[in-house]
Amino acid sequence: MLELLGMPPQAATHAADIDNMIALIHWLMLVLFVGWGGYFVYVLFRFRKSANPKASYEGAHGKFAKYTEYAIIAIEALLLVGYAIPAWALRVASFPPENEAVVVRVVAEQFAWNVHYPGPDGKFGRRDIKLVAAENPIGLDRTDPDAKDDVTTINQLNLPVDRPILVHLSSKDVIHSFGLYEMRVKQDAIPGMSIPVWFIPNRAGEYEIACSQLCGLGHFRMRGFVTIQSEADYKKWFDEQEKQLTNP
Ligand SMILES: [Cu+2]
């Protein structure tokens, strides 16, 4: 239904919850729009000049308007407390443990997404701002033992399907925003901060990383790709990357 209305396919486990909330909010807005619109037309007719030659300075009596307001407040509170806050809490307070998740760093810059995998040792190598260069955009120090097996890519994020993904998001320059529409993920990347984002992709395929903050003149081309693949394909891809590290 939502896909027919132009929503992207749902490619993460929490996508349906977010879409349900969006749908509920839109239903409420539709009811309010029709309700207020109908009321407006009624008032135009009911208080027309010919039927009310003399203006009433008292205004309308009756409790209907008051109760309608209370009902709308109650529904909005229900949406906030029953849906929005729990959905948000799950994203920002219930991170998967690092040893179960695929952990990856994404470093945004004008105008690219740098991806940094810790490699089989599970440890991210040291990074040094002095080492930042065109061929080493994140300044990875390859002399550090933890960095030896680290894999870096530009604008390409490969991830296995059906596993929790934990992205540590940061930025080298300005505020960017990590937007994976199909996975219903959007998080600002803020210089000086490392922000964790997690999700479980549940549909293999090729998706896009869109920068969702106007971050400069090249914002339009700040576009990366996410490949969600089976565990076996992901491992194969990763092994190829490792091979290239040892004999480039
Ligand atoms: Cu950007």
Side-chain angles (χ1 to χ4, degrees), residues 19-34:
D19 288 4
N20 283 344
M21 193 168 62
I22 291 174
L24 285 173
I25 291 167
H26 280 77
W27 280 117
L28 174 64
M29 289 305 128
L30 183 70
V31 169
L32 291 184
F33 176 75
V34 172

Side-chain angles (χ1 to χ4, degrees), residues 108-111 113 174-177 211-216 219 222:
E109 71 169 89
Q110 288 175 317
F111 298 96
W113 299 100
V174 299
I175 298 174
H176 300 273
S177 184
C211 183
S212 308
Q213 284 284 4
L214 185 55
C215 58
H219 165 70
M222 185 159 172

